[in-house]
Amino acid sequence: MATEPALLLTNIKQLVTLRGRTGPRRGHELNDLGILEDAAVLCAGGKIVSVGAMKEAAHDPWIKKSKKKLEEIDCSGKVVLPGFIDSHTHLIFAGPRLIDFEKRVAGASYEEIAEAGGGIRSSIAGVRKASVKELAAKALAALNQMAAQGTTTVEAKSGYGLSAEAELKSLEAVAEAARRWPGTVVPTLLGAHVVPPEFKGKPEKYVREVAEKMIPQAARKKLAQFVDVFCDRGALTLEDTERIFAAAQQHGLGVRAHLCQLTASQVWPLLRFKPASLDHMDRVGEEDITQLAKRETVVTLLPGANYFLGLKQYPDARRLIDAGVPVALATDYNPGTSPTTSMPFVLSLACTQMRMTPAEAIAAATINGAHALRLAGCKGSLEPGKDADLAIFDVGDFREIPYWVAPGRCWATMLSGQLTNLNRGSLSA
Ligand SMILES: [Zn+2]
């Protein structure tokens, strides 16, 4: 890192800093993007050194003091913002679920899809058969696609192995892909995705497998930072979730959950575990909203799943934001219900289907995503000392980021100080 030149991004038309607040953003705070016009950002050693007006940038005392080679990147006419934090992805799977896709389009039920050989069972079979190397290669390809669209930090879940061996293998694949990607990957154990076929009718036995085998092993091998549970109809119960959260805490891991996607459920019994994030939340009750508005737990909305399943109903972002609940946005990248790597597309859905403002969508996808992963101390806003994770969009106004639908306009991405220009070829060309 020390031999790399310092990078000075100059002539930025709009610099979206999101600076100057602590804690996850709520209510009107989501609209305060801290925009600087005609600005510059100086990065060195993987960190942001300074952020400011263009006319001051060339005289930054750091530049005079340091003998580092300085490379200038002209960002005329462009928007620079913190790299997106995709705080909910099922990164590890073996292949697309095309039977589901075709059958669902034709109107088949969940059960009919499963009978035809689709559904989560097909993903389980694929992951159990695959090697770490194969899974890691697929994960890395997806991470690169994400980076090409402005994402610099990705939460990556296991959850299609559903045996101690296959879940650990999935987390090893996450680690292997993370080693080869310059961005940041946050690994999550989702052993409690559904009860696998071998444990049919014996869910408590499977919960014990997760709590007593998978969690201790993942913690000991340092393969996971969080434990996630799919708490919903056809998956795990609230009691199962409490048991698994208790085991996660015992082993020093953070907790998060999939909740209220298919059916309404009480949220408050889980709040004592201080979850970093509760995700989906399409059907959350009024009492729980009041509780969540008082806490640091982020509610992560995943409209990609609603879109792909062809649902008319989307998470009620307005109700949550207006009540003061901190919300984040993520892709939910997965083969069954949200096969997209694109945060700009998710932002577009948030605006058009959930009536979030473009500013709210950007804050939810950056600083609040960082809070959802407990990384806000080093990511999610552009401030001196934070990680040099930036997205550069070839647009003159931040509102164009959710405006231009598929493909997006990401021009370059800086991951831990490393500039990649996947959409434009080499910078020196
Ligand atoms: Zn999910």
Side-chain angles (χ1 to χ4, degrees):
M1 201 63 91
T3 52
E4 278 176 19
L7 286 172
L8 181 65
L9 274 56
T10 58
N11 303 311
I12 301 164
K13 184 156 188 282
Q14 278 187 348
L15 179 64
V16 178
T17 67
L18 286 137
R19 65 186 179 182
R21 284 181 193 273
T22 54
R25 304 239 178 163
R26 304 163 195 276
H28 62 87
E29 295 171 357
L30 283 160
N31 277 308
D32 177 15
L33 296 186
I35 293 174
L36 302 174
E37 308 260 341
D38 194 21
V41 180
L42 177 63
C43 301
K47 300 281 175 194
I48 296 167
V49 176
S50 67
V51 172
M54 188 55 209
K55 53 184 183 306
E56 293 152 22
H59 308 290
D60 192 285
W62 188 93
I63 295 173
K64 285 201 187 110
K65 222 168 53 203
S66 167
K67 299 277 178 283
K68 261 179 187 282
K69 203 173 143 244
L70 188 69
E71 193 180 315
E72 271 190 44
I73 314 290
D74 183 9
C75 297
S76 294
K78 296 186 172 56
V79 170
V80 175
L81 71 158
F84 294 125
I85 313 270
D86 194 347
S87 58
H88 182 134
T89 86
H90 300 255
L91 189 68
I92 301 298
F93 59 87
R97 294 229 298 257
L98 302 177
I99 294 173
D100 303 32
F101 184 42
E102 221 170 29
K103 288 264 168 197
R104 195 182 301 115
V105 168
S109 70
Y110 182 84
E111 287 74 19
E112 286 166 329
I113 291 169
E115 269 164 38
I120 194 165
R121 268 182 190 234
S122 60
S123 292
I124 299 169
V127 164
R128 287 182 180 175
K129 262 192 278 171
S131 67
V132 171
K133 207 172 149 199
E134 287 163 345
L135 294 173
K138 289 192 167 140
L140 184 62
L143 290 170
N144 284 334
Q145 276 184 33
M146 290 169 179
Q149 295 164 93
T151 299
T152 53
T153 297
V154 175
E155 185 256 11
K157 302 176 201 298
S158 64
Y160 293 114
L162 305 187
S163 69
E165 191 202 343
E167 285 297 300
L168 271 281
K169 176 175 75 178
S170 299
L171 290 173
E172 275 161 21
V174 171
E176 176 58 27
R179 271 193 289 277
R180 289 153 61 191
W181 193 58
T184 303
V185 178
V186 177
T188 295
L189 170 67
L190 178 58
H193 197 174
V194 290
V195 176
E198 312 83 274
F199 287 85
K200 201 173 173 209
K202 295 173 283 185
E204 30 339 285
K205 212 169 158 214
Y206 186 64
V207 169
R208 274 212 303 280
E209 184 83 0
V210 175
E212 293 168 19
K213 229 168 161 183
M214 292 182 200
I215 290 174
Q217 286 184 22
R220 193 170 57 244
K221 294 187 172 174
K222 297 199 178 352
L223 285 171
Q225 292 178 27
F226 288 97
V227 169
D228 193 340
V229 180
F230 196 102
C231 175
D232 217 317
R233 186 182 73 212
L236 285 296
T237 65
L238 198 60
E239 292 72 34
D240 297 336
T241 308
E242 290 181 271
R243 230 167 288 151
I244 290 165
F245 276 11
Q249 281 197 336
Q250 215 186 325
H251 289 89
L253 302 178
V255 297
R256 51 203 317 111
H258 289 67
L259 266 182
C260 304
Q261 182 187 8
L262 311 169
T263 43
S265 156
Q266 279 185 323
V267 172
W268 63 264
L270 299 178
L271 294 178
R272 68 189 156 97
F273 296 99
K274 299 194 168 54
S277 174
L278 297 175
D279 302 9
H280 284 294
M281 301 289 268
D282 291 41
R283 294 152 213 278
V284 57
E286 207 54 57
E287 240 174 87
D288 285 326
I289 288 183
T290 312
Q291 284 296 319
L292 287 162
K294 293 182 209 154
R295 306 196 182 230
E296 301 276 291
T297 296
V298 173
V299 168
T300 302
L301 306 175
L302 307 167
N306 302 64
Y307 165 80
F308 192 73
L309 294 173
L311 305 180
K312 301 222 164 30
Q313 206 72 15
Y314 278 76
D316 197 344
R318 280 269 56 92
R319 186 164 146 240
L320 292 161
I321 292 169
D322 296 344
V325 177
V327 299
L329 288 166
T331 59
D332 194 16
Y333 174 64
N334 79 76
T337 61
S338 191
T340 179
T341 51
S342 173
M343 285 296 278
F345 173 60
V346 170
L347 268 62
S348 182
L349 289 177
C351 295
T352 59
Q353 308 301 307
M354 288 151 59
R355 293 170 45 237
M356 287 174 73
T357 67
E360 286 171 341
I362 283 175
T366 54
I367 188 67
N368 276 10
H371 281 285
L373 297 179
R374 303 257 160 90
L375 287 176
C378 56
K379 296 186 187 293
S381 63
L382 302 183
E383 297 175 86
K386 282 204 172 184
D387 295 344
D389 291 343
L390 290 82
I392 308 172
F393 274 74
D394 196 9
V395 295
D397 186 303
F398 75 89
R399 292 171 295 186
E400 290 180 71
I401 294 171
Y403 171 85
W404 297 110
V405 188
R409 299 275 174 113
C410 185
W411 182 76
T413 310
M414 194 189 290
L415 306 115
S416 313
Q418 211 170 304
L419 196 69
T420 55
N421 208 294
L422 299 155
N423 295 320
R424 201 179 139 261
S426 163
L427 263 181
S428 50

